[in-house]
Amino acid sequence: DSGVTQTPKHLITATGQRVTLRCSPRSGDLSVYWYQQSLDQGLQFLIHYYNGEERAKGNILERFSAQQFPDLHSELNLSSLELGDSALYFCASSALTSGGQETQYFGPGTRLLVL
Amino acid sequence: AQSVTQPDIHITVSEGASLESRCNYSYGATPYLFWYVQSPGQGLQLLLKYFSGDTLVQGIKGFEAEFKRSQSSFNLRKPSVHWSDAAEYFCAVGSNTGKLIFGQGTTLQVKP
């Protein structure tokens, strides 16, 4: 158990709908990263938040957005869903060590199926 | 551009035999390197990491990896594989923005 929790574990929805995925980082970690894992694209970085502020964006679609709340949990919002959005969505949390090194610990993921 | 290549999509090893899973990276600065394992239906578990220092890194479950700067490689090894090691293994490099760049993964099958 990494200490990172994600809910829900599974999500089935229809095209055009909107869903929210939730992530709680390990106690004390200020950074949250979101990744998407799909068969054709592999593991891709989506977005990074640090202590409530967006730090970096990857290949995240405009239909997707995220935020990190004062209690440090994060939500990934996916809207106008398409079949191709079906994937496993991971969040990871990390704490910076001295020297700028960080290790990311991953949650169990949310498996999204868009029908 | 930063990238990670895992040349072996699939590896089959007999139980008790040794494993080597290859990883090559492309990164301009000193890389931070990681190996993660994903069992079916599970999340990613950190096996080991390299930041600096000793180039032979020990991890959990008896895994080790060796950083070779001259070859831009960070190959994962295990002397004796167990059936429970069957999983997908991902090599990753940490970028200067913090995000991880992953290889495509290597699926390990263990024969009894």
Side-chain angles (χ1 to χ4, degrees), chain A residues 33 35 37 45 101 103-104, chain B residues 36 38 46 49 51 98 100:
Chain A
Y33 293 82
Y35 293 86
Q37 185 180 33
F45 164 71
Q101 301 159 354
T103 300
Q104 293 182 30
Chain B
Y36 287 88
Q38 184 178 25
L46 179 69
K49 60 189 177 187
F51 288 152
L100 292 174

Side-chain angles (χ1 to χ4, degrees), chain A residues 2-58:
Chain A
S2 66
V4 179
T5 60
Q6 288 187 249
T7 57
K9 199 171 172 110
H10 300 278
L11 202 45
I12 303 174
T13 188
T15 54
Q17 295 298 304
R18 172 189 167 97
V19 296
T20 297
L21 314 184
R22 182 186 169 107
C23 168
S24 292
R26 295 185 320 156
S27 177
D29 285 356
L30 299 181
S31 267
V32 171
Y33 293 82
W34 287 96
Y35 293 86
Q36 180 193 59
Q37 185 180 33
S38 62
L39 282 174
D40 53 345
Q41 297 287 329
L43 272 158
Q44 298 282 322
F45 164 71
L46 294 179
I47 198 162
H48 170 211
Y49 275 83
Y50 179 81
N51 202 19
E53 292 189 3
E54 181 185 303
R55 280 295 180 93
K57 265 185 175 178

Side-chain angles (χ1 to χ4, degrees), chain B residues 40-104:
Chain B
Q42 303 295 314
L44 292 161
Q45 181 182 22
L46 179 69
L47 278 179
L48 47 80
K49 60 189 177 187
Y50 172 78
F51 288 152
S52 63
D54 192 349
T55 56
L56 185 60
V57 179
Q58 301 297 321
I60 62 170
K61 304 184 182 186
F63 285 92
E64 66 179 28
E66 186 170 12
F67 170 59
K68 292 186 178 180
R69 184 186 299 275
S70 61
Q71 297 176 21
S72 297
S73 69
F74 189 56
N75 295 346
L76 181 72
R77 300 195 295 251
K78 184 169 184 178
S80 177
V81 165
H82 187 262
W83 64 267
S84 60
D85 293 324
E88 192 161 17
Y89 292 81
F90 291 93
C91 180
V93 63
S95 72
N96 54 4
T97 62
K99 71 178 185 183
L100 292 174
I101 299 163
F102 286 90
Q104 285 299 103

